[in-house]
Each structure stands twice: as C-alpha cells, then as structure tokens.
Amino acid sequence: MTSERFAECLLHIRWTPINIASALQCELSWIEALEAGNEEIPAGLATWLETLAKAHEALPPPPTYRGRRA
C-alpha cells in the first residue's frame, strides 16, 4: 500500500490520523510517518484498512438524514 492509498483509505473511513492511532493504540508519530511515506505500511495493516475502506465505499451513509434537526 502506498502512503497515498493509506490517506485515501482514512478518508473513506472518515478517520483522522489521531483516530487510527487511537484504534491501533500506537503512537501518532508512527501514523504520521506512514502517511508521509517515511515508514512502510505493514501488509496486515494495509489489508485491514483496504477492507474497511471498501466497506465504507460500498455502504455510504444514507442521505435521508441530511439536514435533520431535533
């Protein structure tokens, strides 16, 4: 996985680097290094992110609730 695809997956999942660092319970600096292309993205992490991103791409939020108010 490239750093560009890593960032794209995070966008599809709607995660910031802080969100994924929290989910993985790892250092934010490592996530930032992955995103910048300064560290190689481990195969297992790439597979997991691709799976999540594809699920989010296939199942976008329903537009029915846009603009709803209480």
Side-chain angles (χ1 to χ4, degrees), residues 32-50:
E32 291 169 338
L34 295 174
E35 194 172 35
N38 297 328
E39 289 278 338
E40 186 175 332
I41 298 160
L45 178 57
T47 299
W48 180 65
L49 284 175
E50 286 288 357

Side-chain angles (χ1 to χ4, degrees), residues 13-58:
I13 301 166
R14 295 180 183 83
W15 278 355
T16 65
I18 292 171
N19 296 135
I20 190 170
S22 178
L24 297 175
Q25 297 182 357
C26 66
E27 293 291 325
L28 177 58
S29 60
W30 183 62
I31 297 298
E32 291 169 338
L34 295 174
E35 194 172 35
N38 297 328
E39 289 278 338
E40 186 175 332
I41 298 160
L45 178 57
T47 299
W48 180 65
L49 284 175
E50 286 288 357
T51 302
L52 289 174
K54 286 177 183 172
H56 281 260
E57 290 168 3

